[in-house]
Amino acid sequence: KAALPSMSAHGAAEGAVKREPRVIEGETLGPVLLKMRRSLSRARDTSALCVIADFDWTLTAFWGPNGERSDQCHDFILHRCSPSSEWSAEVQAFRALARERFGERFGAERPKSEQSALAEWWWTSANKMMLKHNLTQADVREAVQNANTSPRPGAMALLTACISQGIPVAIVSAGLSCVIEEFVR
């Protein structure tokens, strides 16, 4: 058997040419979702089914309504939430420190072990900062309303069809459940 290529945290083979992630949106996703919905409506026994989906850039579109890359889960809070001036100042300092630590290409040129350590530092620090500032559900709601993110075309219809058929849906993410729940709501 041939060895599998080493993969980065974003699924790109090590040493591969870096390019934008391939994103299936709009009309190209429509036929797949339609076929799944038809299959669900004809299924006699759905008791053994469960739909598992990622949140960022899977249930959400890659491009936001303003034409720029859409916000991912932590971006909702770090970029779109403004509960206090202290929060805003700390977020600005955190973003500057992250740029300094990661570099221009978000650590892509570093060894995988260093990338993992940087990603763990970022995730832990961002979450500690949110806990420290006691963000509320109202803050999360504000962030979701201000986010540059929309559902991927057809995603909510698929989730609704699953739920109406009694098929459990699990959304898995390294993001924040409170953001995901508010977005889906």
Side-chain angles (χ1 to χ4, degrees):
K1 292 182 177 178
L4 295 174
S6 173
M7 302 299 278
S8 74
H10 298 289
E14 292 295 323
V17 175
K18 302 292 184 203
R19 59 186 103 143
E20 289 296 309
R22 183 169 179 263
V23 178
I24 301 171
E25 280 197 56
E27 295 303 314
T28 57
L29 188 57
V32 172
L33 294 174
L34 183 60
K35 184 176 178 181
M36 286 180 75
R37 272 190 240 122
R38 284 185 188 140
S39 295
L40 288 173
S41 66
R42 289 191 302 262
R44 295 183 194 276
D45 180 12
T46 59
S47 62
L49 297 178
C50 178
V51 171
I52 301 171
D54 180 43
F55 181 73
D56 292 318
W57 298 345
T58 302
L59 292 178
T60 62
F62 186 78
W63 301 108
N66 69 359
E68 296 177 3
R69 256 189 194 176
S70 69
D71 294 328
Q72 294 183 64
C73 212
H74 279 80
D75 297 337
F76 283 59
I77 301 299
L78 295 175
H79 300 182
R80 308 295 180 179
C81 187
S82 56
S84 68
S85 57
E86 293 83 15
W87 167 257
S88 297
E90 192 163 342
V91 167
Q92 291 296 334
F94 177 67
R95 290 161 89 183
L97 182 57
R99 278 191 300 276
E100 180 183 309
R101 286 190 174 190
F102 281 93
E104 288 298 314
R105 297 185 55 223
F106 205 64
E109 67 284 346
R110 298 173 191 232
K112 190 186 324 184
S113 62
E114 193 174 332
Q115 289 177 18
S116 294
L118 282 169
E120 185 173 333
W121 165 81
W122 184 94
W123 196 87
T124 301
S125 299
N127 287 305
K128 281 182 182 177
M129 189 169 57
M130 287 182 258
L131 290 171
K132 173 184 165 188
H133 286 273
N134 297 314
L135 299 178
T136 66
Q137 190 61 34
D139 296 327
V140 172
R141 195 172 305 111
E142 172 199 355
V144 170
Q145 289 170 354
N146 294 329
N148 177 40
T149 303
S150 58
R152 180 181 293 267
M156 293 306 181
L158 175 64
L159 296 179
T160 301
C162 289
I163 292 167
S164 71
Q165 295 288 325
I167 299 169
V169 175
I171 299 173
V172 295
S173 178
L176 305 163
S177 60
C178 58
V179 169
I180 295 168
E181 289 166 3
E182 183 65 32
F183 183 86
V184 172
R185 189 177 359 270

